[in-house]
Each structure stands twice: as structure tokens, then as C-alpha cells.
Amino acid sequence: MRTLGCLLLLVFWGSQPQKSCTTPIPERTNHSEEPTVVDPEPNQGNDSERSRSKRSWMWNQFFLLEEYTGTDYQYVGKLHSDQDTKDQPLKYILSGEGAGDIFVINENTGDIQATKRLDREEKSSYELHAQAVNRDTGVPVEPVSSFIIKIHDINDNEPKFTKDFYTASVPEMSEVGTFVVQVTANDADDPTYGNSARVVYSILQGQPYFSVESETGVIKTALSKMDRENREKYQVVIQAKDMGGQLGGLSGTTTVNITLSDVNDNPPRFPQSTYQFRAPESSPVGSTIGRIKANDADEGVNAETEYKIIDGDEHNMFQIITDKETQEGVVIVRKMMDFEKTRMFILKVEAANIYDDPRFHNLGPFNDVATVKIIVEDVDEPPVFSKSAYVLEVKEDAKINTIIGTVTAQDPDAARSTVKYSVDRHTDMDRIFNIDSGNGSIFTSKPLDRESLSWHNITVIATEISNPKESSRVPVFIKVLDVNDNAPEFAMLYEIFVCENAKAEQIIHTVSAIDKDYSYGGLQFSYALANPAAHSTNFTVRDNRDNTASVYTRRNGYSRHEMNTYLLPVVISDYGFPVQSSTGTLTIRVCACDHKGNMQSCNAEALSHPTGLSTGALIAILLCIIILLVTVVLFAALRRQRKKEPLIVSKEDIRDNIVSYNDEGGGEEDTQAFDIGTLRNPEAIEDNKLRRDIVPETLFFPRRTPAARDNTDVRDFINQRLKENDLDPTAPPYDSLATYAYEGNGSVAESLSSLESVTTDGDQDYDYLSDWGPRFKKLADMYSGADSDKDS
């Protein structure tokens, strides 16, 4: 490899010994090039000082090949100054990019060398600065000069595609040259130097179906009318090679997966021309009878098929819809079938694509027709009533077993089985109606009353005798017709009063009537006084001919002291057939009124006791007082009896009785609760003080003993009281606890405990225990054994 070098010359001006200009050494290249000569610009300032400078060479650019593989340092070039003489040696200094690391300079000779292997793809050029200084003083003798080292490219990078894998699609049946996809490969080498980065594309795999443009990398179809149904996926391998595809160039490959997308180029076709299904005549509306499918080699929307019935369904008995998931035609029942009327249906069904492509109409019709036969199977059907509902009428006075109507049902099957009838008792809990099981006649079994219930809704069941499981129901609405069987009566309980100062022929009230029977409007009732009161001189009733009547007075003035209440019987009749009538009594009270006719008082006692209480109020007060007295007496009697009740009810009752006196002391500070003087002066005790908790059977007066004179001694007093209680015949015969707060010296029998027997000095003889019988044998053995141990 040839190296590049340069020579640095220093030229001195005659009048300025320190100022110089640089004359570069011609640049060495691989080719013989004439050096460029540059004349410095003349000095425009003073013509007398104008001088001609020495011609010099251009030296400001060096070239260095990348990827140097030698063992020595790669020589770059040489720096030299004209002032570098033996008498005045210079020192060369290099700075800038890579100086001292990648590039080094011999400070004595000015030789520049590269110490590392360089890669143009990492950095394509380096800018450095050179300067010559006095070796002894370090004073620069040359100004800083800059130069560039460019890295020459070599073909060391293969083309690389932007993707490892490409995915593309193209419609099937496309013409030749249809664009598929474009691939791109990049080469990292220098595109401006040689052909290292010039990439050419070629196809290695995928012919003859596809081709690629060598300069652009565009992949196109190379075969016409490729059919997706025959082959859907293709794998194409594309190569990119640099050096313009010449021998020795580097290359890279990529894989392109191409899929043929579907177009609607295939019509639907039924695999068979005739389909046959069986369906029972009882198939409900909306149920599925069968499925048919026309096969379409396309996919997606191009395979979506629509089915329709084009012939054989004049009565719209069936419907066919498309299952979007499976693209099947589903035959559905639209109306109930009847085996007795039609036993087979023959339908023509057409299948056609929903979306068609006009480009492929020449391939044939995009529909197909098939025949669908539906055979209706006979089933045992329930009886069918002649009507969906029945409405019957009957008068409420109809006698029992009166026929009010008939229902009819027949077996629709060819066998015509006999039908029996019955009433659903859940709809006739009172069993008011019944039905003839043979002919379906409905009759009454209990009396009817329209005023209680005017409509009866029952259900009749028709059942086949040969197959009781087959039955049907029908509602029957029975209307009860009205009969005039209820007499009219007053519409309400009237409270009528008349003023004492009323005039004759004065209206005091208007009454009306009601009738439970059906009313047709118009005039319905008539009013008249009953025979006993028809000739009454006090009041009368006049019919207003509008279903109301008015009560009139027949004389002037009434006295409530003479008679404060009048009873007026009125006969009310209707206009039905037969005529019904009833007698109602009106109560008329005589009241005191003011001059305007407003009622003030209607009681006779109001005149004699104007400021007192009424009789009713007095009676109420008296009853309250009596109840209070009775309550007090009962309470006192119960308390008295409770006091007399003994603490022990029966001699057999041996339970402990607790007597609560509800007497609690007041503590140490209470000086009134207990008098110690009583203990010190027994004479102060009341004589003949008996027990108050029971009634003694025999009255015994307590024995009175003289009091001890030394009553200052409480102990003697307590002993005396103890003796009195022991000798008192009236002592209580029940368990009682008497606390005297005094302990004696003990009993003359001393202790009965056997625990102290071990302290006695003498030995005791227990042989007598053997004479007491078998119950004390164990005890005798224990003590006799103890004596034996002692003897041993």
C-alpha cells in the first residue's frame, strides 16, 4: 500500500524575518496528478513594498485506507519546516481528533503514523492541527496549521434488509405485474467511493410466481390468475448484493411470506340436490326442522350465503334463516302443521352469495337451488274445543241440575277417540257447577245468588278416554242473571228531628232507598206509610216520584215533655217482577230549636236541669265510685288474709321457711334502732307479748320469772332468757335460729370426737363392737386389727 506524505516549508520575507508563509509539499495519491500552484494575492496597500512570494503546493488533506491489517503502524505522512536546520532544530507537535491515541507524530522528524485499525463506518474523517516550535525554548516558529485525514472506504459491509421477515398479501386472480410489496436493503459502505454501497436485488426463491425489480426491490406478481383455493401461501427469498451485483460483492437475504387474499370467484353449491326431513305435526312454532348447507370455496364475507324459499310454501308454513357461524340454512316452523290436512311439503330453496364481484360474473351464476321435502308425522294430539272460550248465562233463581250450556271437543287425530269432560275443581272450589262427562252439558249443583257473585269463571277439561295423558282445557265464563228477589230498604240509618215549634205540612227530612237487585235506571221505588200509621196525625210520607220520599209534619207544635220520640213505619216497594217490598221505621225525635230552626237540645231532662249534669253522666260517675270502693275493699281483705296465713301450711311441709321482716338496722350511728338499756333492765319488757306471725292453737301465757337483780351483767341476763325459752310451752314448733352472741363453758359430756381418743393414756377395749351385729363388723375388724398391730 502506498503512503501519503507532505512537506512543510517555511519561507521568510526579506523585511520581516519572523513572518513566513507555508509552502506545502504536493499530495501523494495513487494516481499521477499535477500539483496545483497557487499565487498569493499581491499586497494592495503599497506598490513599493510589493514582492513576489514563492509558489507552493496544496497539502491540507491526507487519505488513509480503513481496516489496515499490517503488523506495523500505518504511515500517514510527514511534516517539515524550512527553519528546521542543524543549527536550529525544531520540535513538531500534533493535536486534534485522535492525536496521541490514534495518530502519533515523531517530534524530531515530523512523521505521522496511525496506531490503530480504523473503520470508516464508525468515523470517516479526522481533523488535526500541526505546529513547529523551538526545541530549546518551546517558542512557536510556525503558526498552527490544520489538516484533515480522510478514511478511504473498502467493501467490508454486506447489504442488510430493514426487516428479517416481510409479510404481504395480494388478491388472487391478479394480473401479471401487480404490486405486492417493496423490500429495502442498506449498505453501510461509502456510497460516494466506488461501488461498495451500490445494491442490486434478485429473487432466489419464489419463481415463477413472483419477480423483483433489481434497482428498487419492488416485488410483483409474475404469474396471472393464481387461485387461492389451489394454493394460498408462498415464501419468496430476495437477495441484495453490493458492488452492483458483480462477482466478489457481499450479499444479504430476506424472506417474504406472501398470502393470496380471497375474492368472490366461487359460487355456492349444494352438495346434493334433494334434502328430506321428518317433523311431528306437534312441532311448536319457531322449532328447527333441519339444516342444509351450500358449500362455498371462498372465505369470509365472500362465503356469506343467504337462503330463501322460492317455491312450495304458499301458506307461509316455514321459514329459512342463515346461521352466521356455520353459514347453514336453518328450516324453521312458522305455523303449526296438521297431519290430517297436509302430510308432506316440497320446498325449493335457493342459496346465493350476499356480496358478489362483477369481475367474475363470467365464471357462472353465483347461486344454487335444492329441493327440501318435509314429511309430517302424525302424533296423538289432545282434543280440540269448538271455541277458544265459552260464555254462558243462567238466572240466579235457576233450580239445581238446570242445564245452562254445552261445550264440545273432538279428537283431531284420524282415530277420533272418544272424549270425556270434567270441571277443574281448582276453579270451582264450592262445586256450584257440574258437567256431563259424555256430552259436555254444564248444569248447576247448588243455588245461585247474583248479589253474592255475578260471574263464575270455571275451566272445563276434555280428555281422551284411550289416552288420558292427552287433554285440553277451555275457560267457561258463566254470567248469573238478576231476578227480583231482594226487597228495597233505606239507604242508611236516618236520624230525624223535628222542632217543637214546627208548623204543619213542613218537610223535616228526605229519605232514599237502595235495592241489591240490578238497577236499570229510571223510577225504581215507591214509598207509603204502613197501615198502623197511615192515619197518623203527627207525620206523613209523600213519594217524590224520583226514588226519594219526604217526611212532612201534620200538626203545629210538638212537646218533648209529652213525647220526645216518634216511630214512623214506611213501606218501600220496587217495580220489579214479582214486586218486592219491605217496611222500614224512621225514628223522629222532638228537639228544642231556636227561631231559625237550628236544633239546640233533644232531651226532656234539659228543661228541669238546665245547669246540672245529664242522667247518663251521673250514672257514669256513680259507677266509677262503686268500682273504686269495691277495689279498695278487695285489696283490704286480701291483705288481711295474707297476714293471717300461717308460715307453715302443713305439718308435712318440712322445708325451711325464711321470714323476711324487712327491718334493717342503721349501723353504728343509729342510736334509735336498738336500746342497750332493755338488756340491762329486763323489767322494762312488756308483759304478755305474744307472737304476731301465727295464731296459736292454745293460748299459753308466757311464764314470767323474776328478773335477776344483777342486771348490769349482760351474761346473766342472757342465761336467764335462755332458761325462760327452754321452759316456755309457746315456743315455736319449727326450726329457728336464735343467736345470743355468748358461748358457754361446754357440755358435761365433754367432747364426743374420736380424734381426741389418741391423747388418752389408757388403752380402750373395742371388743364390744363385735357384739353389735354384721353392720358393725367392718368397724370391729378395723379396731381389733389396730389392737393386734399394737400388740405386735
Side-chain angles (χ1 to χ4, degrees), residues 288 290-294 300 303-307 320-332 354:
T288 300
R291 291 171 174 258
I292 61 176
K293 183 177 182 180
E304 292 184 1
T305 307
E306 182 181 25
Y307 300 87
I320 186 167
I321 61 175
T322 302
D323 187 337
K324 298 299 182 181
E325 298 294 332
T326 61
Q327 295 300 318
E328 294 177 320
V330 183
V331 182
I332 297 176
I354 298 177

Side-chain angles (χ1 to χ4, degrees), residues 537-720:
T537 59
N538 297 313
F539 303 95
T540 186
V541 173
R542 295 179 185 175
D543 193 345
N544 296 325
R545 308 297 294 175
D546 61 354
N547 297 322
T548 64
S550 298
V551 181
Y552 285 82
T553 58
R554 280 190 171 182
R555 62 186 179 90
N556 296 324
Y558 296 87
S559 175
R560 52 181 170 160
H561 298 290
E562 295 178 359
M563 189 170 183
N564 63 349
T565 302
Y566 293 89
L567 300 178
L568 189 65
V570 178
V571 176
I572 310 172
S573 304
D574 59 19
Y575 290 96
F577 181 83
V579 175
Q580 300 288 341
S581 63
S582 66
T583 301
T585 302
L586 298 176
T587 301
I588 305 174
R589 300 174 62 189
V590 181
C591 301
C593 303
D594 57 12
H595 65 284
K596 293 183 180 181
N598 298 322
M599 182 184 67
Q600 292 182 340
S601 176
C602 295
N603 296 324
E605 293 81 359
L607 291 176
S608 58
H609 305 285
T611 59
L613 297 174
S614 63
T615 303
L618 292 175
I619 293 174
I621 294 173
L622 183 59
L623 287 176
C624 291
I625 294 173
I626 293 174
I627 292 172
L628 288 175
L629 291 176
V630 171
T631 303
V632 171
V633 171
L634 289 175
F635 182 78
L638 289 175
R639 282 185 59 93
R640 183 175 180 182
Q641 185 171 355
R642 185 177 299 174
K643 289 181 179 181
K644 294 180 181 180
E645 184 178 341
L647 295 177
I648 298 179
V649 180
S650 175
K651 293 182 179 180
E652 285 78 19
D653 190 358
I654 58 174
R655 295 174 295 177
D656 293 341
N657 294 276
I658 300 175
V659 181
S660 177
Y661 293 96
N662 295 325
D663 188 11
E664 182 177 356
E668 295 178 356
E669 298 179 357
D670 188 3
T671 59
Q672 303 298 327
F674 185 77
D675 188 6
I676 194 63
T678 304
L679 295 176
R680 298 185 181 275
N681 186 15
E683 294 178 352
I685 302 177
E686 297 179 3
D687 296 336
N688 300 331
K689 193 165 187 178
L690 302 178
R691 295 176 59 87
R692 292 181 297 175
D693 54 351
I694 63 171
V695 179
E697 297 179 358
T698 305
L699 183 60
F700 291 97
F701 293 97
R703 183 182 301 175
R704 183 69 176 151
T705 58
R709 303 317 306 170
D710 53 348
N711 51 16
T712 57
D713 191 351
V714 177
R715 181 179 61 182
D716 296 340
F717 170 76
I718 292 177
N719 288 330
Q720 181 183 351

Side-chain angles (χ1 to χ4, degrees), residues 3 29 63 65 101 129 146 168 209-210 250 279 326 332 339 381 384 390 441 461 625 676 691 720 748 755 763-764:
T3 60
T29 62
F63 293 93
L65 289 177
D101 180 21
H129 310 286
S146 299
Y209 308 104
F210 300 96
L250 303 179
T326 61
I332 297 176
F339 174 81
E381 299 177 89
V384 178
Y390 293 84
S441 299
I461 304 174
I625 294 173
I676 194 63
R691 295 176 59 87
Q720 181 183 351
V748 295
L755 297 177
D763 296 334
Q764 297 189 29

